[in-house]
Amino acid sequence: MSVLSAVLDAARSGAVQVVDLTTPLQESTPILELPPPFANTSRFRLEELSRYDDRGPAWYWNDIHTGEHTGTHLDAPVHWVTGRDGLDVAQAPMSTLVAPAAVLDMTAEVERDPDFLLRIEHVTAWEAEHGPLPDGGWLLFRTGWSARGDDAAAFANADENGPHTPGVAPDCARWLAADTPITGFGVETVGTDAGAAHGFDPPFPCHSSLMGADKWGLTSLRNLDRLPPTGALLVVAPLPIVGGSGSPARVLALVDR
Ligand code: MN
């Protein structure tokens, strides 16, 4: 039997499950909201062209309005100034789009502290238990934050000092970028950096370090609680927007049951 037919048989029998990690795209899908004077991205929106009417009697279709960074999306290296000469989203290597995933669960810590920052010792403790991070794979930061995904205010969790959402400490971001073999870092929150990361040194360290090292980001992931710590195969399907800095993406995980 070929490897692929074995995978298909396993998917049909339920021995392999396909888990959808994607946030549904609609006008209420949370987006990043930057303070003035910065430009902001669009919410997702449908614009109806026809719906079995005089504009198109037998067909229904829409234009879509969206940002590249709306909903579950892929950040390309060129998204950040540190990666300005790097790849755009249409150039994502297939080895990045179909790759193993490691899942690091910090849900309990984030429940206690929404400003929780991932540190190097959290990752090395995970490695001591589960083995090294996957070469060319993804590190997925499970925080439980997606449980807030249908409540924009709870998802942003902002007060007068800005948003309070979990992220990565600057030295850990540098280390993930330079000293681990991952191809990218995925999160449940609206961006890969903490809500308070505008005030870090450097600002937005996850974007700055990872994209400067030709690595990729994934945001607004759901259902990470359905993945094992190791062994899931991630399938990331962004639109091949030529020159694009990112794209909404369907993200699936194949999991052994
Ligand atoms: Mn983004």
Side-chain angles (χ1 to χ4, degrees):
M1 187 189 287
S2 78
V3 172
L4 205 47
S5 42
V7 172
L8 286 167
D9 282 354
R12 284 202 190 98
S13 74
V16 163
Q17 288 190 333
V18 182
V19 180
D20 192 353
L21 306 184
T22 318
T23 301
L25 271 175
Q26 51 198 332
E27 200 151 350
S28 60
T29 302
I31 54 171
L32 186 68
E33 295 184 49
L34 296 173
F38 303 117
N40 272 299
T41 193
S42 298
R43 291 193 170 280
F44 185 85
R45 183 167 60 82
L46 292 179
E47 181 184 357
E48 189 177 283
L49 297 177
S50 73
R51 193 157 192 161
Y52 332 119
D53 52 28
D54 55 5
R55 299 170 299 168
W59 53 91
Y60 165 54
W61 61 342
N62 301 293
D63 277 347
I64 59 173
H65 297 265
T66 184
E68 294 171 325
H69 298 256
T70 296
T72 302
H73 69 269
L74 184 64
D75 286 343
V78 75
H79 176 43
W80 216 251
V81 63
T82 50
R84 64 191 306 159
D85 299 320
L87 298 180
D88 69 49
V89 73
Q91 297 170 320
M94 293 305 123
S95 57
T96 288
L97 300 184
V98 180
V103 182
L104 197 162
D105 181 15
M106 290 288 150
T107 304
E109 288 77 0
V110 170
E111 209 159 286
R112 284 194 293 273
D113 175 16
D115 291 306
F116 174 82
L117 298 181
L118 189 68
R119 296 192 309 268
I120 295 171
E121 58 261 36
H122 297 123
V123 186
T124 53
W126 183 95
E127 289 184 301
E129 189 176 350
H130 301 288
L133 292 175
D135 193 2
W138 287 85
L139 176 59
L140 304 182
F141 182 29
R142 178 181 161 197
T143 55
W145 206 261
S146 65
R148 301 165 176 249
D150 293 323
D151 178 341
F155 197 72
N157 199 35
D159 62 16
E160 65 279 9
N161 300 315
H164 296 276
T165 63
V168 180
D171 64 331
C172 184
R174 270 193 298 276
W175 176 78
L176 287 171
D179 299 323
T180 75
I182 59 169
T183 192
F185 182 71
V187 299
E188 297 183 39
T189 44
V190 76
T192 55
D193 269 299
H198 56 275
F200 293 1
D201 181 22
F204 306 105
C206 212
H207 285 82
S208 181
S209 294
L210 285 160
M211 279 153 210
D214 297 320
K215 294 185 176 184
W216 301 73
L218 267 178
T219 77
S220 298
L221 296 171
R222 293 188 168 190
N223 294 323
L224 294 186
D225 58 317
R226 295 177 59 192
L227 306 188
T230 66
L233 178 65
L234 211 61
V235 179
V236 184
L239 299 174
I241 302 168
V242 175
S245 74
S247 167
R250 195 72 185 252
V251 183
L252 307 174
L254 275 64
V255 179
D256 273 313
R257 283 287 174 248

